[in-house]
Amino acid sequence: MFKNKKIAFKLTMILLPLTALLIVLTIFMGIRQMQILHEAEATFTNKIAAVESVLLNGDRDFYQCDTLSKTLRFEKDEISSDDYDLAKSDYTENEKQVDEIVPMLREKFATDEYLYKTYKIKGQTDSNEVLIQKLESGIADWKAAYDPRTNQGDFEVAKQYFQTDREYINQLEKNIDSYSHYSTNKMEASIQKTVMILTAISFNIIIFAIVVSISIIFYIKKNILTLVDEMNILASKNLSTEIVSTDTKDEFGDLSKSAKEVHTSLFQVMNSILDASNDLAAASNQLKDSSASADTSVKDISVAIEEVAETATRQAHDVDDISNNMNGISQMMKNSNQANENLSAASSDINVVIGEGMKVVEELTSATNRSMTAFNEIFRLMQGI
C-alpha cells in the first residue's frame, strides 16, 4: 500500500513524525506546566501558606495573652486604672483569637487529608491531627489554670501550659516547613518522571522516523537504479532484453511502464521493417527469375531465325516454333510486368512502414523527453530532502 503512494507523500512521511512530535511535545509541556502551576498554587498557597498564617497569628495572639497576663498580675499597682481596664479588654480580645486557632487549623488542614492525618517528620510519633487535639486540650487547660482578669488560679501552672502549647504550635510549624520540602521534592520527582516519559516517547518516534526515512531512501534509490538500467537498455538498442515494469502506482511505476512501452514500440517497428525487407527481397528474386526467362526466349528466337535462313524447307515448321516462342515471350513479359508491379507494391509498403516507423520514433522521442522531465523532478525532490 505504501509503495503505491506518490513520491511527495513518501518524502512527507520523513518529516511528518518529527513535526508531529514537536507539536505533541509543545502541547503536552504546556498542559503539564499548567498542571504543575495549579498543583504548586494549591499546595503552597492554599495549604502551606494558609496553615502557616494561622500558626503565626495564633502564636502571636498566644504570646500577647501571656504578656498581658503578666502585666495584669505584676504591674497592677504600677499602671492606671484605665490602662488596667484596657489591658483586661485586650486580654479578652486576644483570648478569643487564641480560641479560634484550633478551628481554623482544622479547616485549613482539611484540604489535605494526608497532611492532616498521616504525614509525620522523621522521629515524630504524633500526626498533625493529634498535635492539634493536644493543642486544643492544652489551650483549655491554660485558660482553666489562671484568669489574670480576676487573678484567680495558679499563674505558674498556667505558665507551664502556655509553654507546652507553644511547643505544639512550634511542632506544627516544623511539620508545615517539612511538608513544603516534601511537596517540592514530590513535584520535582513528578517533573523528572514526565521528562523521562517524554524522552522515551521522543526517542521511539525519532527511531521510527529514522527507520521510515531509511526505508524511503532505499526505495527511491532502488527504483532510480532500476530506471537507469532500463534506460541503458534502450540506449544500447538491445531489444532482445526484456524490460519488466514495476507494479507500483507512483511516479517510478509510471516511468517504468513508459520505458516498457518504448521498448515494445521499438521492437514492433523493427519487426515491421524486417518483414518489409523480406518482401522486397522476394520481389527482387522474382524479377531476377523473369529476366533470366526473357533472356532464354530471345536466344531461342535468334536460333530459330538462323534456321529459317539456312533452309526454306523447314520454314513452315520454324514459323510454328516462332509463333509458339512468341507466345512464351508474351507470357514472360506479362510475368515481368507482374513482378514489376509486386516490386512497386513492396516499395510502397516499405515507404508506409518507414513513415509509420518515423512517427513511432517521434512518439518515442516525446516519451523519452517526458521521462527525462520526470527524472529531473525526482532528482529535484531528492535534493530538497
Side-chain angles (χ1 to χ4, degrees):
M1 178 180 180
F2 182 75
K3 67 180 181 179
N4 295 327
K5 300 298 182 181
K6 297 298 182 180
I7 298 298
F9 176 82
K10 294 182 175 71
L11 297 177
T12 303
M13 289 301 297
I14 297 177
L15 300 176
L16 184 60
L18 297 178
T19 304
L21 173 63
L22 179 61
I23 295 174
V24 170
L25 289 181
T26 302
I27 296 175
F28 182 82
M29 289 301 295
I31 295 174
R32 186 55 185 158
Q33 185 177 8
M34 292 301 297
Q35 290 176 345
I36 292 173
L37 289 175
H38 288 311
E39 290 176 1
E41 180 181 7
T43 300
F44 294 101
T45 302
N46 300 336
K47 296 178 185 177
I48 297 175
V51 172
E52 284 194 345
S53 176
V54 173
L55 290 173
L56 291 175
N57 291 332
D59 186 61
R60 180 199 61 198
D61 295 332
F62 216 173
Y63 182 79
Q64 289 178 350
C65 281
D66 181 67
T67 302
L68 292 171
S69 177
K70 292 177 181 179
T71 300
L72 293 173
R73 178 177 175 80
F74 298 109
E75 300 179 8
K76 179 179 180 180
D77 297 333
E78 299 177 4
I79 60 176
S80 63
S81 59
D82 291 336
D83 290 338
Y84 182 79
D85 291 336
L86 180 61
K88 288 197 297 183
S89 177
D90 290 341
Y91 181 87
T92 301
E93 182 65 27
N94 282 280
E95 186 183 47
K96 290 179 181 180
Q97 293 175 353
V98 170
D99 289 336
E100 295 176 355
I101 294 176
V102 171
M104 292 180 66
L105 285 175
R106 283 177 175 155
E107 179 186 352
K108 300 303 180 183
F109 273 100
T111 59
D112 191 337
E113 186 175 359
Y114 173 75
L115 174 62
Y116 182 47
K117 295 184 177 181
T118 306
Y119 182 77
K120 301 174 186 177
I121 63 176
K122 186 176 180 180
Q124 182 178 315
T125 58
D126 296 333
S127 65
N128 290 318
E129 181 182 21
V130 175
L131 289 175
I132 292 174
Q133 290 174 353
K134 289 182 177 181
L135 177 61
E136 182 180 27
S137 178
I139 291 175
D141 293 337
W142 169 75
K143 290 172 61 178
Y146 177 73
D147 187 352
R149 291 164 296 189
T150 61
N151 198 22
Q152 293 180 356
D154 192 337
F155 177 80
E156 293 298 328
V157 173
K159 184 177 180 181
Q160 292 176 358
Y161 283 129
F162 170 75
Q163 295 295 335
T164 302
D165 291 342
R166 290 201 67 189
E167 286 296 325
Y168 292 146
I169 293 176
N170 291 334
Q171 188 62 54
L172 287 170
E173 289 179 348
K174 290 180 181 179
N175 289 351
I176 289 299
D177 291 338
S178 176
Y179 185 76
S180 66
H181 293 295
Y182 164 79
S183 299
T184 301
N185 294 333
K186 184 178 179 181
M187 288 183 183
E188 290 178 353
S190 177
I191 294 173
Q192 291 176 355
K193 182 179 179 181
T194 301
V195 171
M196 292 179 63
I197 293 174
L198 290 178
T199 302
I201 294 174
S202 301
F203 179 78
N204 290 329
I205 294 179
I206 291 173
I207 293 298
F208 173 77
I210 292 174
V211 171
V212 172
S213 301
I214 293 176
S215 300
I216 294 175
I217 290 172
F218 275 103
Y219 172 82
I220 294 175
K221 179 180 178 181
K222 175 184 175 182
N223 282 275
I224 288 178
L225 292 177
T226 301
L227 289 174
V228 170
D229 292 338
E230 293 174 354
M231 291 302 173
N232 288 334
I233 291 174
L234 294 177
S236 64
K237 301 177 182 179
N238 183 11
L239 301 181
S240 62
T241 303
E242 184 180 2
I243 293 179
V244 180
S245 62
T246 60
D247 58 350
T248 60
K249 296 181 181 179
D250 55 6
E251 290 83 353
F252 289 118
D254 295 338
L255 290 174
S256 180
K257 290 176 183 177
S258 298
K260 182 175 178 60
E261 291 176 358
V262 170
H263 180 273
T264 302
S265 299
L266 286 176
F267 189 78
Q268 292 175 350
V269 169
M270 293 304 297
N271 285 335
S272 298
I273 294 175
L274 181 61
D275 293 340
S277 298
N278 292 332
D279 292 340
L280 180 61
S284 298
N285 291 331
Q286 187 176 1
L287 180 61
K288 182 178 179 181
D289 292 340
S290 298
S291 299
S293 298
D295 236 9
T296 302
S297 298
V298 171
K299 289 180 180 180
D300 291 340
I301 293 172
S302 178
V303 171
I305 293 173
E306 289 178 357
E307 290 177 354
V308 169
E310 290 175 356
T311 176
T313 57
R314 300 173 58 188
Q315 184 175 6
H317 180 70
D318 290 337
V319 168
D320 291 336
D321 291 338
I322 290 172
S323 177
N324 292 331
N325 288 333
M326 289 301 292
N327 289 332
I329 291 172
S330 176
Q331 184 65 37
M332 292 297 177
M333 292 301 293
K334 290 180 180 180
N335 292 337
S336 177
N337 290 334
Q338 183 66 36
N340 288 332
E341 291 177 359
N342 293 336
L343 180 61
S344 177
S347 298
S348 299
D349 292 339
I350 291 173
N351 291 332
V352 171
V353 171
I354 291 173
E356 294 178 351
M358 291 303 294
K359 292 180 179 180
V360 172
V361 170
E362 292 176 356
E363 294 176 355
L364 295 178
T365 302
S366 177
T368 302
N369 292 332
R370 292 195 300 270
S371 300
M372 292 304 296
T373 302
F375 270 116
N376 293 331
E377 180 64 19
I378 293 174
F379 291 144
R380 185 184 67 78
L381 293 174
M382 290 297 295
Q383 291 176 354
I385 298 178

